[in-house]
Structure formats: structure tokens, C-alpha cells
Amino acid sequence: MTTHLTPVPTGEQIPVTQVRTRTARRETRVPRWTFKLISPIALVALWQVLSSTGVLSDDTLASPATVLETGAELFAEGRLQEAIAVSLQRVGAGLAIGVVAATVLATLSGLFRRGENLIDAPMQMLRTVPVIGLIPLLIIWFGIGEEPKIVLIALAVTFPLYMNIYGGIRNVDAGLVEAAKTLGLGPLAQVRHVILPAAMPNALVGLRYALGSAWLALVFGETINASAGIGYEMNTAREFFQTDVIVVCLVLYALLGLVADFIVRALERVVLAWRPAFSGK
């Protein structure tokens, strides 16, 4: 088979087709954050329209404009900052206790069979008990001060984090551990360089679940004779049918949870920079 090449006339430019790389195509796309804002903005707009047309009365649900005005008033009075500071202290204390407890228990249970025999069965039984159902016992044991609130948050954090860390350790590829042994790594070196890095993705997912559980437990915990905090403001507003204050408190819970989740996801990008992962099409 003979191939004939057509000569290009002298002085005539050869047409060049530009190939757009994947990076270039991404640069011309609309930023992802704009799509993420569409749904919330549409919901708020619909909410405002229903409130303005009288479909939703203020007694049923305050309008977004009223909620924004109430939030500004609470901020000017300093009540908003005080409530956020108190709630953050409770979540921080409970989260610290829960993270330490879950990490220690999951590590012992995941690394050692004897630890699994002693720890995993009680943890599996206790995690099925509704944490909120423990409030009466916590009040009897710790009184009505800050202790039951912090313990409630710690319990809510411990169980999801334990499950994910334990699962992450037990799902480490056995071939990697054998390779580490072959290379002469001792038990501690195996844990540090192989097992813990491999279990880290599960642990961070568990931390995200734990943060969500912590804010949920805080809502219930602040009903226990609280004199300050977001939950206290919300319960006080409930007694006076102040739907605008209730919505402000709910928005605060949502924003604080969103910020906490954002921090963990940023931590994931730093800690798991070595792991290439699928980020969606």
C-alpha cells in the first residue's frame, strides 16, 4: 500500500488545532462554590417570598429578614458571642475527652487480639444505647452542672470515632505489614510507618462523624439546667414563642458544624497529601 503525501504550497500556513488540556478546561468553568450556593440561596429566597406573601406567618416561622435583624440585635447586645463561647467550650471539652478515649480504645482493640476480646464487645453493646437516653443517669451521677453536658458530648464522640479507627486498623493490607516485617521494622515502627498512615483516612472520616454527633449532643446537653449557651437561648425563646431567635440559634449550630467540618477536610488535604484520591468528574 502506497501513501501519497500532498505537498503544502510555499507561503501557505498550516492550520493548527489547539488541544485544550483538562486544566485549561477547568479554568474556564464556573467555580464550584457558585453551584454550592445556588440551593441555599434559592431556599432562602423561597422562604422570604412565602413570608412576604403571608403564607408563613411570623408566629409559625419568622422571615429571613426578621431573623437577620434579630441576629444583629443579639450580636450588638453581646448575647450571641457569649452563647457561642460557652457552647464552644463545652464541645471542645467533650470532643477532647471523646477523641482521646476513642483513640486509645480503638488502638488497643485494633492492634491486639486480647484487646479486642476485652474492649470491642462492650463497645459494640454500648454504642447501640441511645446517648440521649443516658441523660437521667448522667444527672443523677454528675448533678446538673457542666459535667453531664461534657460527658454527654464525650460519649457521642467516642463511639463513631472508635468504630472508624478500629475499622481502619483492621482493614490495613496484611501484605504491607508483612513487607514491613521483611524490611526489619519492629512493632512500633510498623505501627508508626504502616498501620497508622493506612488507618488515617478512616480516622478522619470518623472525626467528621464525631463532630456532627458532638453538636447534636450539645443541643440536648444544653437543656440540662443551662444558664448560658446557644441551647439556653433557644430554650428561652421557645417559652416566649420567639421563632426568630430559635432560627438564629439553629443557624449558629449549622454554621459552627460547617466550620468544624471544613477544618477537618482541610486537615485531610494536609495529612493525606500522599494519597491520590478520586475527586469527582
Side-chain angles (χ1 to χ4, degrees), residues 79-90 229-230:
R79 291 168 55 186
L80 211 59
Q81 300 93 308
E82 181 184 357
I84 293 174
V86 172
S87 295
L88 283 176
Q89 288 176 3
R90 290 169 180 158
I230 302 175

Side-chain angles (χ1 to χ4, degrees), residues 2 22 28 78 92-93 154 159 184 201 231 237 244 247 259 262 265:
T2 305
R22 187 174 181 181
T28 59
F159 296 113
D244 51 348
V247 174
V259 169
F262 175 79
R265 296 186 72 173

Side-chain angles (χ1 to χ4, degrees), residues 116-267:
E116 180 185 12
N117 296 337
L118 295 175
I119 297 172
D120 189 59
M123 292 295 291
Q124 297 299 333
M125 290 188 294
L126 290 174
R127 75 180 181 86
T128 59
V129 177
V131 176
I132 309 305
L134 297 175
I135 291 179
L137 279 177
L138 295 178
I139 294 176
I140 294 174
W141 293 342
F142 301 102
I144 56 176
E146 290 297 306
E147 290 81 3
K149 303 176 184 61
I150 294 174
V151 172
L152 184 69
I153 296 170
L155 290 174
V157 167
T158 299
F159 296 113
L161 189 56
Y162 168 86
M163 291 295 298
N164 280 271
I165 296 177
Y166 171 80
I169 293 174
R170 285 305 174 95
N171 287 327
V172 174
D173 188 355
L176 293 177
V177 179
E178 291 298 327
K181 291 180 181 178
T182 304
L183 293 174
L185 293 180
L188 291 178
Q190 294 172 26
V191 171
R192 178 183 176 185
H193 297 289
V194 178
I195 297 176
L196 289 184
M200 189 60 67
N202 278 48
L204 291 175
V205 171
L207 183 58
R208 293 178 66 184
Y209 276 110
L211 284 170
S213 301
W215 289 111
L216 180 61
L218 176 67
V219 176
F220 291 96
E222 290 186 330
T223 62
I224 307 174
N225 194 39
S227 58
I230 302 175
Y232 167 76
E233 297 290 343
M234 189 163 59
N235 289 328
T236 304
R238 181 194 60 193
E239 297 177 0
F240 295 97
F241 299 97
Q242 297 174 317
T243 58
D244 51 348
V245 178
I246 293 175
V247 174
V248 169
C249 294
L250 292 176
V251 170
L252 282 178
Y253 278 127
L255 290 178
L256 290 172
L258 188 63
V259 169
D261 186 74
F262 175 79
I263 293 173
V264 177
R265 296 186 72 173
L267 182 64

Side-chain angles (χ1 to χ4, degrees), residues 90-102:
R90 290 169 180 158
V91 169
L95 185 66
I97 296 172
V99 167
V100 172

Side-chain angles (χ1 to χ4, degrees), residues 8-39:
V8 179
T10 305
E12 183 177 342
Q13 295 183 351
I14 301 176
V16 179
T17 303
Q18 293 184 351
V19 179
R20 299 175 64 193
T21 63
R22 187 174 181 181
T23 304
R25 289 197 300 269
R26 283 183 177 177
E27 291 177 353
T28 59
R29 291 178 181 175
V30 179
R32 290 181 61 187
W33 61 267
T34 57
F35 291 102
K36 293 182 179 180
L37 289 177
I38 290 176
S39 297

Side-chain angles (χ1 to χ4, degrees), residues 58-80:
D58 288 341
D59 294 335
T60 303
L61 184 64
S63 67
T66 304
V67 170
L68 187 61
E69 182 180 353
T70 301
E73 292 176 359
L74 293 175
F75 183 83
E77 295 173 4
R79 291 168 55 186
L80 211 59

